[in-house]
PDB file of all heavy atoms in Angstrom:
ATOM      1  N   ALA S   1     -13.539  -3.899   2.598  1.00  0.00           N
ATOM      2  CA  ALA S   1     -12.699  -2.842   2.037  1.00  0.00           C
ATOM      3  C   ALA S   1     -13.248  -1.482   2.182  1.00  0.00           C
ATOM      4  O   ALA S   1     -12.558  -0.483   2.519  1.00  0.00           O
ATOM      5  CB  ALA S   1     -12.418  -3.138   0.522  1.00  0.00           C
ATOM      6  N   GLN S   2     -14.546  -1.326   1.987  1.00  0.00           N
ATOM      7  CA  GLN S   2     -15.205  -0.006   2.171  1.00  0.00           C
ATOM      8  C   GLN S   2     -15.245   0.347   3.639  1.00  0.00           C
ATOM      9  O   GLN S   2     -15.092   1.598   3.944  1.00  0.00           O
ATOM     10  CB  GLN S   2     -16.629  -0.073   1.605  1.00  0.00           C
ATOM     11  CG  GLN S   2     -16.767  -0.437   0.114  1.00  0.00           C
ATOM     12  CD  GLN S   2     -15.764   0.303  -0.744  1.00  0.00           C
ATOM     13  OE1 GLN S   2     -15.601   1.569  -0.571  1.00  0.00           O
ATOM     14  NE2 GLN S   2     -15.075  -0.378  -1.658  1.00  0.00           N
ATOM     15  N   SER S   3     -15.367  -0.516   4.536  1.00  0.00           N
ATOM     16  CA  SER S   3     -15.335  -0.250   5.987  1.00  0.00           C
ATOM     17  C   SER S   3     -13.913   0.254   6.354  1.00  0.00           C
ATOM     18  O   SER S   3     -13.844   1.245   7.097  1.00  0.00           O
ATOM     19  CB  SER S   3     -15.592  -1.538   6.753  1.00  0.00           C
ATOM     20  OG  SER S   3     -15.523  -1.263   8.124  1.00  0.00           O
ATOM     21  N   VAL S   4     -12.911  -0.396   5.821  1.00  0.00           N
ATOM     22  CA  VAL S   4     -11.535   0.098   6.048  1.00  0.00           C
ATOM     23  C   VAL S   4     -11.329   1.528   5.582  1.00  0.00           C
ATOM     24  O   VAL S   4     -10.819   2.431   6.267  1.00  0.00           O
ATOM     25  CB  VAL S   4     -10.505  -0.866   5.387  1.00  0.00           C
ATOM     26  CG1 VAL S   4      -9.092  -0.211   5.357  1.00  0.00           C
ATOM     27  CG2 VAL S   4     -10.452  -2.168   6.167  1.00  0.00           C
ATOM     28  N   ARG S   5     -11.797   1.787   4.359  1.00  0.00           N
ATOM     29  CA  ARG S   5     -11.590   3.133   3.824  1.00  0.00           C
ATOM     30  C   ARG S   5     -12.361   4.205   4.611  1.00  0.00           C
ATOM     31  O   ARG S   5     -11.853   5.263   4.817  1.00  0.00           O
ATOM     32  CB  ARG S   5     -12.059   3.159   2.297  1.00  0.00           C
ATOM     33  CG  ARG S   5     -11.109   2.406   1.357  1.00  0.00           C
ATOM     34  CD  ARG S   5     -11.529   2.666  -0.080  1.00  0.00           C
ATOM     35  NE  ARG S   5     -10.417   2.319  -0.920  1.00  0.00           N
ATOM     36  CZ  ARG S   5     -10.240   1.122  -1.605  1.00  0.00           C
ATOM     37  NH1 ARG S   5     -11.201   0.214  -1.476  1.00  0.00           N
ATOM     38  NH2 ARG S   5      -9.198   0.878  -2.366  1.00  0.00           N
ATOM     39  N   ARG S   6     -13.583   3.870   4.961  1.00  0.00           N
ATOM     40  CA  ARG S   6     -14.349   4.869   5.782  1.00  0.00           C
ATOM     41  C   ARG S   6     -13.641   5.176   7.071  1.00  0.00           C
ATOM     42  O   ARG S   6     -13.584   6.268   7.513  1.00  0.00           O
ATOM     43  CB  ARG S   6     -15.787   4.340   6.002  1.00  0.00           C
ATOM     44  CG  ARG S   6     -16.705   4.463   4.873  1.00  0.00           C
ATOM     45  CD  ARG S   6     -18.203   4.189   5.312  1.00  0.00           C
ATOM     46  NE  ARG S   6     -18.376   2.925   5.893  1.00  0.00           N
ATOM     47  CZ  ARG S   6     -18.622   1.808   5.215  1.00  0.00           C
ATOM     48  NH1 ARG S   6     -18.737   1.759   3.937  1.00  0.00           N
ATOM     49  NH2 ARG S   6     -18.817   0.635   5.909  1.00  0.00           N
ATOM     50  N   TYR S   7     -13.200   4.076   7.764  1.00  0.00           N
ATOM     51  CA  TYR S   7     -12.556   4.222   9.042  1.00  0.00           C
ATOM     52  C   TYR S   7     -11.302   5.067   8.968  1.00  0.00           C
ATOM     53  O   TYR S   7     -11.126   6.024   9.754  1.00  0.00           O
ATOM     54  CB  TYR S   7     -12.208   2.829   9.676  1.00  0.00           C
ATOM     55  CG  TYR S   7     -11.419   2.957  10.891  1.00  0.00           C
ATOM     56  CD1 TYR S   7     -12.059   3.202  12.127  1.00  0.00           C
ATOM     57  CD2 TYR S   7     -10.004   2.675  10.909  1.00  0.00           C
ATOM     58  CE1 TYR S   7     -11.353   3.263  13.293  1.00  0.00           C
ATOM     59  CE2 TYR S   7      -9.327   2.734  12.067  1.00  0.00           C
ATOM     60  CZ  TYR S   7      -9.950   3.046  13.270  1.00  0.00           C
ATOM     61  OH  TYR S   7      -9.229   3.086  14.460  1.00  0.00           O
ATOM     62  N   LEU S   8     -10.404   4.741   7.999  1.00  0.00           N
ATOM     63  CA  LEU S   8      -9.164   5.469   7.896  1.00  0.00           C
ATOM     64  C   LEU S   8      -9.409   6.885   7.355  1.00  0.00           C
ATOM     65  O   LEU S   8      -8.707   7.808   7.815  1.00  0.00           O
ATOM     66  CB  LEU S   8      -8.189   4.706   6.993  1.00  0.00           C
ATOM     67  CG  LEU S   8      -7.742   3.363   7.524  1.00  0.00           C
ATOM     68  CD1 LEU S   8      -6.881   2.587   6.479  1.00  0.00           C
ATOM     69  CD2 LEU S   8      -6.983   3.545   8.788  1.00  0.00           C
ATOM     70  N   ASP S   9     -10.310   7.102   6.515  1.00  0.00           N
ATOM     71  CA  ASP S   9     -10.613   8.421   6.007  1.00  0.00           C
ATOM     72  C   ASP S   9     -11.074   9.324   7.153  1.00  0.00           C
ATOM     73  O   ASP S   9     -10.745  10.484   7.289  1.00  0.00           O
ATOM     74  CB  ASP S   9     -11.678   8.373   4.875  1.00  0.00           C
ATOM     75  CG  ASP S   9     -12.080   9.741   4.394  1.00  0.00           C
ATOM     76  OD1 ASP S   9     -11.143  10.410   3.765  1.00  0.00           O
ATOM     77  OD2 ASP S   9     -13.180  10.194   4.593  1.00  0.00           O
ATOM     78  N   GLY S  10     -11.825   8.689   8.109  1.00  0.00           N
ATOM     79  CA  GLY S  10     -12.349   9.444   9.240  1.00  0.00           C
ATOM     80  C   GLY S  10     -11.238   9.871  10.175  1.00  0.00           C
ATOM     81  O   GLY S  10     -11.399  10.761  11.007  1.00  0.00           O
ATOM     82  N   LEU S  11     -10.081   9.193  10.097  1.00  0.00           N
ATOM     83  CA  LEU S  11      -8.917   9.597  10.970  1.00  0.00           C
ATOM     84  C   LEU S  11      -7.907  10.433  10.237  1.00  0.00           C
ATOM     85  O   LEU S  11      -6.805  10.605  10.720  1.00  0.00           O
ATOM     86  CB  LEU S  11      -8.282   8.284  11.461  1.00  0.00           C
ATOM     87  CG  LEU S  11      -9.072   7.419  12.455  1.00  0.00           C
ATOM     88  CD1 LEU S  11      -8.310   6.119  12.820  1.00  0.00           C
ATOM     89  CD2 LEU S  11      -9.432   8.152  13.656  1.00  0.00           C
ATOM     90  N   GLY S  12      -8.245  10.873   9.033  1.00  0.00           N
ATOM     91  CA  GLY S  12      -7.356  11.787   8.312  1.00  0.00           C
ATOM     92  C   GLY S  12      -6.282  11.098   7.468  1.00  0.00           C
ATOM     93  O   GLY S  12      -5.304  11.764   7.071  1.00  0.00           O
ATOM     94  N   PHE S  13      -6.450   9.811   7.223  1.00  0.00           N
ATOM     95  CA  PHE S  13      -5.471   9.151   6.300  1.00  0.00           C
ATOM     96  C   PHE S  13      -5.751   9.447   4.910  1.00  0.00           C
ATOM     97  O   PHE S  13      -6.889   9.631   4.454  1.00  0.00           O
ATOM     98  CB  PHE S  13      -5.586   7.562   6.522  1.00  0.00           C
ATOM     99  CG  PHE S  13      -4.907   7.104   7.785  1.00  0.00           C
ATOM    100  CD1 PHE S  13      -5.636   7.126   8.962  1.00  0.00           C
ATOM    101  CD2 PHE S  13      -3.647   6.616   7.750  1.00  0.00           C
ATOM    102  CE1 PHE S  13      -4.994   6.664  10.168  1.00  0.00           C
ATOM    103  CE2 PHE S  13      -3.039   6.169   8.902  1.00  0.00           C
ATOM    104  CZ  PHE S  13      -3.743   6.153  10.124  1.00  0.00           C
ATOM    105  N   LEU S  14      -4.631   9.575   4.111  1.00  0.00           N
ATOM    106  CA  LEU S  14      -4.716   9.839   2.662  1.00  0.00           C
ATOM    107  C   LEU S  14      -4.498   8.503   1.915  1.00  0.00           C
ATOM    108  O   LEU S  14      -3.511   7.844   2.241  1.00  0.00           O
ATOM    109  CB  LEU S  14      -3.719  10.810   2.213  1.00  0.00           C
ATOM    110  CG  LEU S  14      -3.793  12.208   2.890  1.00  0.00           C
ATOM    111  CD1 LEU S  14      -2.668  13.085   2.320  1.00  0.00           C
ATOM    112  CD2 LEU S  14      -5.133  12.871   2.720  1.00  0.00           C
ATOM    113  N   GLU S  15      -5.329   8.176   0.959  1.00  0.00           N
ATOM    114  CA  GLU S  15      -5.088   6.987   0.121  1.00  0.00           C
ATOM    115  C   GLU S  15      -4.136   7.396  -1.028  1.00  0.00           C
ATOM    116  O   GLU S  15      -4.565   8.160  -1.917  1.00  0.00           O
ATOM    117  CB  GLU S  15      -6.384   6.388  -0.394  1.00  0.00           C
ATOM    118  CG  GLU S  15      -6.174   5.062  -1.081  1.00  0.00           C
ATOM    119  CD  GLU S  15      -7.456   4.314  -1.326  1.00  0.00           C
ATOM    120  OE1 GLU S  15      -8.572   4.858  -1.113  1.00  0.00           O
ATOM    121  OE2 GLU S  15      -7.349   3.171  -1.852  1.00  0.00           O
ATOM    122  N   VAL S  16      -2.937   6.878  -0.983  1.00  0.00           N
ATOM    123  CA  VAL S  16      -1.884   7.224  -1.973  1.00  0.00           C
ATOM    124  C   VAL S  16      -1.428   5.979  -2.657  1.00  0.00           C
ATOM    125  O   VAL S  16      -1.051   5.003  -1.988  1.00  0.00           O
ATOM    126  CB  VAL S  16      -0.729   7.999  -1.362  1.00  0.00           C
ATOM    127  CG1 VAL S  16       0.316   8.395  -2.363  1.00  0.00           C
ATOM    128  CG2 VAL S  16      -1.189   9.189  -0.528  1.00  0.00           C
ATOM    129  N   GLU S  17      -1.359   5.924  -3.964  1.00  0.00           N
ATOM    130  CA  GLU S  17      -0.811   4.821  -4.722  1.00  0.00           C
ATOM    131  C   GLU S  17       0.696   4.885  -4.837  1.00  0.00           C
ATOM    132  O   GLU S  17       1.197   5.991  -5.037  1.00  0.00           O
ATOM    133  CB  GLU S  17      -1.424   4.741  -6.108  1.00  0.00           C
ATOM    134  CG  GLU S  17      -2.944   4.512  -6.069  1.00  0.00           C
ATOM    135  CD  GLU S  17      -3.547   4.429  -7.472  1.00  0.00           C
ATOM    136  OE1 GLU S  17      -2.842   4.819  -8.449  1.00  0.00           O
ATOM    137  OE2 GLU S  17      -4.748   4.105  -7.595  1.00  0.00           O
ATOM    138  N   THR S  18       1.353   3.791  -4.792  1.00  0.00           N
ATOM    139  CA  THR S  18       2.795   3.732  -4.875  1.00  0.00           C
ATOM    140  C   THR S  18       3.119   2.852  -6.085  1.00  0.00           C
ATOM    141  O   THR S  18       2.350   2.093  -6.571  1.00  0.00           O
ATOM    142  CB  THR S  18       3.452   3.150  -3.627  1.00  0.00           C
ATOM    143  OG1 THR S  18       2.833   1.898  -3.222  1.00  0.00           O
ATOM    144  CG2 THR S  18       3.291   4.097  -2.426  1.00  0.00           C
ATOM    145  N   PRO S  19       4.388   3.022  -6.649  1.00  0.00           N
ATOM    146  CA  PRO S  19       4.707   2.344  -7.876  1.00  0.00           C
ATOM    147  C   PRO S  19       4.680   0.791  -7.816  1.00  0.00           C
ATOM    148  O   PRO S  19       4.963   0.190  -6.729  1.00  0.00           O
ATOM    149  CB  PRO S  19       6.179   2.771  -8.098  1.00  0.00           C
ATOM    150  CG  PRO S  19       6.310   4.066  -7.405  1.00  0.00           C
ATOM    151  CD  PRO S  19       5.411   3.926  -6.183  1.00  0.00           C
ATOM    152  N   VAL S  20       4.291   0.192  -8.932  1.00  0.00           N
ATOM    153  CA  VAL S  20       4.363  -1.272  -9.078  1.00  0.00           C
ATOM    154  C   VAL S  20       5.658  -1.693  -9.715  1.00  0.00           C
ATOM    155  O   VAL S  20       6.211  -2.738  -9.348  1.00  0.00           O
ATOM    156  CB  VAL S  20       3.178  -1.708  -9.937  1.00  0.00           C
ATOM    157  CG1 VAL S  20       3.272  -3.240 -10.235  1.00  0.00           C
ATOM    158  CG2 VAL S  20       1.846  -1.441  -9.201  1.00  0.00           C
ATOM    159  N   LEU S  21       6.235  -0.891 -10.555  1.00  0.00           N
ATOM    160  CA  LEU S  21       7.557  -1.145 -11.119  1.00  0.00           C
ATOM    161  C   LEU S  21       8.564  -0.408 -10.260  1.00  0.00           C
ATOM    162  O   LEU S  21       8.626   0.872 -10.260  1.00  0.00           O
ATOM    163  CB  LEU S  21       7.625  -0.692 -12.594  1.00  0.00           C
ATOM    164  CG  LEU S  21       6.686  -1.394 -13.534  1.00  0.00           C
ATOM    165  CD1 LEU S  21       6.839  -0.792 -14.923  1.00  0.00           C
ATOM    166  CD2 LEU S  21       7.006  -2.845 -13.607  1.00  0.00           C
ATOM    167  N   THR S  22       9.370  -1.156  -9.500  1.00  0.00           N
ATOM    168  CA  THR S  22      10.311  -0.498  -8.618  1.00  0.00           C
ATOM    169  C   THR S  22      11.669  -1.193  -8.658  1.00  0.00           C
ATOM    170  O   THR S  22      11.897  -1.988  -9.546  1.00  0.00           O
ATOM    171  CB  THR S  22       9.680  -0.506  -7.185  1.00  0.00           C
ATOM    172  OG1 THR S  22      10.558   0.223  -6.306  1.00  0.00           O
ATOM    173  CG2 THR S  22       9.463  -1.879  -6.639  1.00  0.00           C
ATOM    174  N   LYS S  23      12.467  -0.927  -7.665  1.00  0.00           N
ATOM    175  CA  LYS S  23      13.814  -1.452  -7.620  1.00  0.00           C
ATOM    176  C   LYS S  23      13.927  -2.709  -6.789  1.00  0.00           C
ATOM    177  O   LYS S  23      13.287  -2.834  -5.754  1.00  0.00           O
ATOM    178  CB  LYS S  23      14.788  -0.352  -7.046  1.00  0.00           C
ATOM    179  CG  LYS S  23      16.255  -0.793  -7.088  1.00  0.00           C
ATOM    180  CD  LYS S  23      17.115   0.340  -6.542  1.00  0.00           C
ATOM    181  CE  LYS S  23      18.607  -0.015  -6.579  1.00  0.00           C
ATOM    182  NZ  LYS S  23      19.496   1.099  -6.144  1.00  0.00           N
ATOM    183  N   SER S  24      14.711  -3.639  -7.245  1.00  0.00           N
ATOM    184  CA  SER S  24      14.920  -4.880  -6.508  1.00  0.00           C
ATOM    185  C   SER S  24      15.794  -4.650  -5.326  1.00  0.00           C
ATOM    186  O   SER S  24      16.910  -4.068  -5.458  1.00  0.00           O
ATOM    187  CB  SER S  24      15.546  -5.969  -7.375  1.00  0.00           C
ATOM    188  OG  SER S  24      15.813  -7.173  -6.652  1.00  0.00           O
ATOM    189  N   THR S  25      15.376  -5.042  -4.142  1.00  0.00           N
ATOM    190  CA  THR S  25      16.203  -4.958  -2.896  1.00  0.00           C
ATOM    191  C   THR S  25      16.132  -6.276  -2.193  1.00  0.00           C
ATOM    192  O   THR S  25      15.355  -6.479  -1.261  1.00  0.00           O
ATOM    193  CB  THR S  25      15.631  -3.838  -1.946  1.00  0.00           C
ATOM    194  OG1 THR S  25      14.256  -4.060  -1.648  1.00  0.00           O
ATOM    195  CG2 THR S  25      15.787  -2.433  -2.600  1.00  0.00           C
ATOM    196  N   PRO S  26      16.890  -7.262  -2.635  1.00  0.00           N
ATOM    197  CA  PRO S  26      16.739  -8.663  -2.200  1.00  0.00           C
ATOM    198  C   PRO S  26      17.203  -8.858  -0.755  1.00  0.00           C
ATOM    199  O   PRO S  26      18.294  -9.340  -0.463  1.00  0.00           O
ATOM    200  CB  PRO S  26      17.675  -9.438  -3.116  1.00  0.00           C
ATOM    201  CG  PRO S  26      18.642  -8.464  -3.631  1.00  0.00           C
ATOM    202  CD  PRO S  26      17.945  -7.138  -3.646  1.00  0.00           C
ATOM    203  N   GLU S  27      16.342  -8.485   0.192  1.00  0.00           N
ATOM    204  CA  GLU S  27      16.609  -8.698   1.652  1.00  0.00           C
ATOM    205  C   GLU S  27      15.620  -9.654   2.308  1.00  0.00           C
ATOM    206  O   GLU S  27      15.658  -9.923   3.416  1.00  0.00           O
ATOM    207  CB  GLU S  27      16.640  -7.380   2.374  1.00  0.00           C
ATOM    208  CG  GLU S  27      18.012  -6.676   2.332  1.00  0.00           C
ATOM    209  CD  GLU S  27      19.064  -7.488   3.030  1.00  0.00           C
ATOM    210  OE1 GLU S  27      18.929  -7.856   4.136  1.00  0.00           O
ATOM    211  OE2 GLU S  27      20.119  -7.754   2.345  1.00  0.00           O
ATOM    212  N   GLY S  28      14.640 -10.098   1.469  1.00  0.00           N
ATOM    213  CA  GLY S  28      13.610 -10.945   2.052  1.00  0.00           C
ATOM    214  C   GLY S  28      13.399 -12.135   1.061  1.00  0.00           C
ATOM    215  O   GLY S  28      14.316 -12.787   0.662  1.00  0.00           O
ATOM    216  N   ALA S  29      12.118 -12.281   0.676  1.00  0.00           N
ATOM    217  CA  ALA S  29      11.813 -13.322  -0.323  1.00  0.00           C
ATOM    218  C   ALA S  29      12.320 -12.834  -1.676  1.00  0.00           C
ATOM    219  O   ALA S  29      12.723 -11.699  -1.876  1.00  0.00           O
ATOM    220  CB  ALA S  29      10.359 -13.509  -0.370  1.00  0.00           C
ATOM    221  N   ARG S  30      12.301 -13.753  -2.653  1.00  0.00           N
ATOM    222  CA  ARG S  30      12.724 -13.412  -3.987  1.00  0.00           C
ATOM    223  C   ARG S  30      11.757 -12.425  -4.642  1.00  0.00           C
ATOM    224  O   ARG S  30      10.562 -12.545  -4.445  1.00  0.00           O
ATOM    225  CB  ARG S  30      12.874 -14.658  -4.862  1.00  0.00           C
ATOM    226  CG  ARG S  30      14.074 -15.497  -4.551  1.00  0.00           C
ATOM    227  CD  ARG S  30      14.191 -16.685  -5.504  1.00  0.00           C
ATOM    228  NE  ARG S  30      13.042 -17.589  -5.336  1.00  0.00           N
ATOM    229  CZ  ARG S  30      12.979 -18.603  -4.505  1.00  0.00           C
ATOM    230  NH1 ARG S  30      13.989 -18.812  -3.679  1.00  0.00           N
ATOM    231  NH2 ARG S  30      11.935 -19.357  -4.444  1.00  0.00           N
ATOM    232  N   ASP S  31      12.297 -11.545  -5.432  1.00  0.00           N
ATOM    233  CA  ASP S  31      11.459 -10.568  -6.190  1.00  0.00           C
ATOM    234  C   ASP S  31      10.975 -11.195  -7.490  1.00  0.00           C
ATOM    235  O   ASP S  31      11.673 -11.983  -8.105  1.00  0.00           O
ATOM    236  CB  ASP S  31      12.246  -9.293  -6.483  1.00  0.00           C
ATOM    237  CG  ASP S  31      12.620  -8.436  -5.331  1.00  0.00           C
ATOM    238  OD1 ASP S  31      11.755  -8.385  -4.388  1.00  0.00           O
ATOM    239  OD2 ASP S  31      13.673  -7.850  -5.292  1.00  0.00           O
ATOM    240  N   PHE S  32       9.789 -10.795  -7.927  1.00  0.00           N
ATOM    241  CA  PHE S  32       9.397 -10.990  -9.331  1.00  0.00           C
ATOM    242  C   PHE S  32      10.089  -9.903 -10.100  1.00  0.00           C
ATOM    243  O   PHE S  32       9.986  -8.702  -9.809  1.00  0.00           O
ATOM    244  CB  PHE S  32       7.906 -10.915  -9.487  1.00  0.00           C
ATOM    245  CG  PHE S  32       7.157 -12.209  -9.122  1.00  0.00           C
ATOM    246  CD1 PHE S  32       6.467 -12.303  -7.960  1.00  0.00           C
ATOM    247  CD2 PHE S  32       7.193 -13.238 -10.021  1.00  0.00           C
ATOM    248  CE1 PHE S  32       5.853 -13.457  -7.620  1.00  0.00           C
ATOM    249  CE2 PHE S  32       6.576 -14.474  -9.706  1.00  0.00           C
ATOM    250  CZ  PHE S  32       5.872 -14.540  -8.479  1.00  0.00           C
TER     251      PHE S  32
END
């Protein structure tokens, strides 16, 4: 995990968190 973070940070990627509570869009597997 730390290797991934170092590599992507070196390429200018931003680590951004996205919501855990979101909207159901049933187009694949079933949602929790």
Side-chain angles (χ1 to χ4, degrees):
Q2 301 313 315
S3 178
V4 166
R5 286 191 164 98
R6 283 193 302 271
Y7 174 78
L8 294 175
D9 181 65
L11 294 178
F13 283 84
L14 304 179
E15 186 168 7
V16 182
E17 296 178 352
T18 52
V20 174
L21 296 177
T22 184
K23 183 176 182 177
S24 178
T25 55
E27 273 298 306
R30 287 183 296 273
D31 291 324
F32 279 103

